[in-house]
Amino acid sequence: MANADRILVIDDDEAVCGIVSALAKTMGFDCVTTKDPTSFLDLITPSTTLILLDLMMPGMDGIEVLRLLGERHAQARILLMSGMDKRVLETAEKLAQSLGLQVIGRMHKPVPLQALRNTLEAVAKMGPPQMPVEVPTLALPDEQLRAAIERDEFVSHYQPQVNLATGEVTGFEALARWRHPELGLLPPDCFIARIEQLGLIDKLCLRTAELALIDLKGFSLVNGAMPRLSLNASMHSLHNLEFPDQFVALAQSHGVATNKIAIEVTESGLVRQLSRTLDVLTRLRMKGFPLSIDDFGTGYAMMQQLQNVPATELKIDKSLVDLMHENDSDRVMVEKVIEIGHGLGMEVVAEGVTVQEQYDLLRRMGCDGAQGYLISRPMPAERVPGWLGEFARAKTPSKR
Ligand code: C2E
Ligand code: CA
Ligand code: CA
């Protein structure tokens, strides 16, 4: 194999450097090693495709090396090695990911030679590392946003939630989309924050709720009941003292019971502004709306305040669900969140469920509900009735 790819090994253990270097060279890689974590940056060239990094070194530890690589926007793939316990490797991997680095694996020391050979073979086949895909941030003119609200260009897509114990669909979350005349369907990241700044979010929220209530009447569950609707409320709306009455009026005018309309508010928002929003939240709850704490577990440490929020549901953030079937620490976190939610009398729903393993684990842990691409991506209203029919027919025993 003619391979100009460079492998860089950063490890204070000479034996490891020697073994990796010999193996890499027999496989046609250019391999350089260093025991000095303070000078490694000079050894990285544009052809460096893989960095093997020991997390424990005297002088500078692997975590600092990761930070420096992150600051340099290093493109090389990273394989982490450590003689310490699994959790250290898992934590380091997360840190690396949060710094924009691409970790392709972690190996517990002593590194098994065959596993290392397999990894190097896989790297040789991968080709040059890709630049991370940047999501373009659209700066859309404010007039366009204002006009879009007037022209009713916003629609909702609906994502189902299922009951993990029965496998039945229980409800749908409405997720806003902008049907832009030239750009096509735009996700909420492109417009929600700006609409909040323009003070137009209440208007969008009420309109979204109204359209969703109309759509909801076209959806019916296998038992003929109407599914529950979940709506995302912005913190701004929770400062509006009229919000609960406006919502009650809306529900009444569409003949939908308030206990069928769950209001989702994010944990981060609540942490910042709980005291200012508590009266609106309490009133919503008193009028019968289920209240859900969205994105729970994203690190805002709401634990102490949780018992003061009149919420009925906790939604475990997808970042925790994402690796729960691979990482012990994430799994424990998910388990604890379920325990805390249940302890406070709340239902617990996991979002971002993408693989069957996560689904099965969550069900075994006693989590109440699940939402995610495994069940379905968000879909336009017109697809929902057909999807509900197909889902009822195709329900596999493993999901029941
Ligand atoms: P969210 O409330 O946390 O909604 C869940 C997001 O995760 C949605 O993104 C959904 O499409 C996505 N998702 C669902 N299942 C999976 C999965 O299995 N894997 C992954 N990776 N993602 C999944 P979307 O639709 O782009 O919405 C983003 C955020 O925008 C929402 O996050 C919510 O905070 C906000 N948003 C959406 N609609 C509205 C709205 O009408 N009003 C307000 N204020 N905010 C909204
Ligand atoms: Ca939500
Ligand atoms: Ca969420």
Side-chain angles (χ1 to χ4, degrees):
M1 177 179 40
N3 201 328
D5 290 353
R6 168 175 277 210
I7 295 179
L8 170 61
V9 186
I10 310 172
D11 195 326
D12 63 305
D13 184 337
E14 234 164 290
V16 173
C17 288
I19 292 168
V20 178
S21 170
L23 179 66
K25 283 180 179 157
T26 60
M27 295 177 73
F29 287 98
D30 164 27
C31 183
V32 286
T33 65
T34 179
K35 287 182 282 181
D36 175 12
T38 55
S39 65
F40 73 97
L41 286 172
D42 301 337
L43 298 170
I44 299 178
T45 64
S47 59
T48 306
T49 54
L50 179 68
I51 298 173
L52 273 82
L53 173 63
D54 181 18
L55 288 178
M56 278 294 280
M57 288 173 291
M60 184 197 268
D61 64 36
I63 302 295
E64 282 174 76
V65 173
L66 287 174
R67 267 189 217 292
L68 288 172
L69 288 171
E71 280 167 18
R72 286 283 183 104
H73 304 291
Q75 295 299 303
R77 300 181 177 98
I78 296 166
L79 183 69
L80 298 171
M81 303 182 293
S82 172
M84 309 223 297
D85 73 21
K86 229 170 107 186
R87 278 198 52 207
V88 177
L89 277 167
E90 286 174 8
T91 313
E93 178 171 355
K94 280 196 192 150
L95 172 79
Q97 281 164 349
S98 72
L99 294 168
L101 300 169
Q102 196 190 345
V103 177
I104 56 157
R106 31 179 212 248
M107 283 190 184
H108 200 264
K109 280 182 158 183
V111 174
L113 211 54
Q114 190 54 43
L116 188 61
R117 186 191 300 275
N118 294 346
T119 304
L120 297 190
E121 271 170 9
V123 167
K125 285 191 197 128
M126 281 177 197
Q130 301 295 311
M131 291 286 285
V133 186
E134 292 224 355
V135 184
T137 40
L138 284 167
L140 293 154
D142 293 346
E143 313 84 74
Q144 272 195 24
L145 279 168
R146 286 201 172 92
I149 293 193
E150 294 310 318
R151 290 196 220 115
D152 236 356
E153 286 174 357
F154 294 95
V155 292
S156 283
H157 278 195
Y158 297 92
Q159 187 176 37
Q161 280 180 7
V162 298
N163 176 316
L164 278 161
T166 64
E168 310 285 352
V169 176
T170 50
F172 288 87
E173 177 174 1
L175 294 157
R177 304 283 182 264
W178 177 7
R179 225 184 248 148
H180 191 282
E182 284 114 40
L183 301 170
L185 208 60
L186 298 178
D189 295 348
C190 297
F191 56 86
I192 294 283
R194 190 62 195 145
I195 287 188
E196 283 179 347
Q197 285 163 1
L198 293 173
L200 296 170
I201 195 72
D202 284 3
K203 213 168 171 182
L204 179 67
C205 183
L206 276 170
R207 186 66 186 139
T208 304
E210 174 154 41
L211 293 176
L213 288 175
I214 296 168
D215 287 336
L216 193 70
K217 285 185 223 161
F219 309 163
S220 98
L221 301 176
V222 269
N223 60 5
M226 183 188 275
R228 191 183 79 154
L229 173 71
S230 296
L231 291 169
N232 292 286
S234 149
M235 267 296 131
H236 293 243
S237 306
L238 297 184
H239 291 152
N240 173 0
L241 293 176
E242 287 160 25
F243 186 68
D245 287 333
Q246 288 170 337
F247 257 64
V248 171
L250 198 64
Q252 279 172 350
S253 70
H254 288 274
V256 178
T258 55
N259 67 6
K260 286 280 190 189
I261 309 170
I263 313 285
E264 298 193 355
V265 276
T266 61
E267 181 194 19
S268 54
L270 284 177
V271 169
R272 277 185 276 116
Q273 311 189 359
L274 184 60
S275 56
R276 286 182 62 198
T277 53
L278 206 51
D279 51 356
V280 170
L281 288 171
T282 308
R283 260 191 251 170
L284 281 168
R285 189 63 210 113
M286 283 162 62
K287 312 255 183 218
F289 296 100
L291 281 183
S292 179
I293 304 182
D294 205 356
D295 301 347
F296 191 80
T298 35
Y300 290 90
M302 175 142 220
M303 296 295 176
Q304 286 160 340
Q305 285 161 300
L306 199 57
Q307 56 193 346
N308 301 323
V309 187
T312 53
E313 181 179 277
L314 267 191
K315 280 184 97 170
I316 310 177
D317 190 63
K318 49 181 174 293
S319 62
L320 277 185
V321 174
D322 202 26
L323 290 174
M324 63 173 288
H325 58 303
E326 289 175 357
N327 280 355
D328 293 344
S329 48
D330 292 51
R331 186 161 50 241
V332 171
M333 275 296 287
V334 169
E335 233 160 16
K336 289 291 162 211
V337 173
I338 296 171
E339 208 176 284
I340 290 165
H342 285 170
L344 293 170
M346 300 184 206
E347 299 230 328
V348 183
V349 175
E351 68 174 16
V353 178
T354 44
V355 297
Q356 189 69 41
E357 274 169 283
Q358 294 162 346
Y359 188 103
D360 294 340
L361 263 174
L362 287 161
R363 195 181 43 177
R364 264 184 265 138
M365 288 175 177
C367 187
D368 303 286
Q371 184 180 339
Y373 295 167
L374 176 71
I375 300 143
S376 169
R377 287 186 176 252
M379 59 192 130
E382 57 274 19
R383 287 236 316 271
V384 173
W387 180 87
L388 278 167
E390 270 167 42
F391 185 80
R393 281 191 296 277
K395 238 185 328 172
T396 55
S398 65
K399 283 194 187 166
R400 302 214 65 166

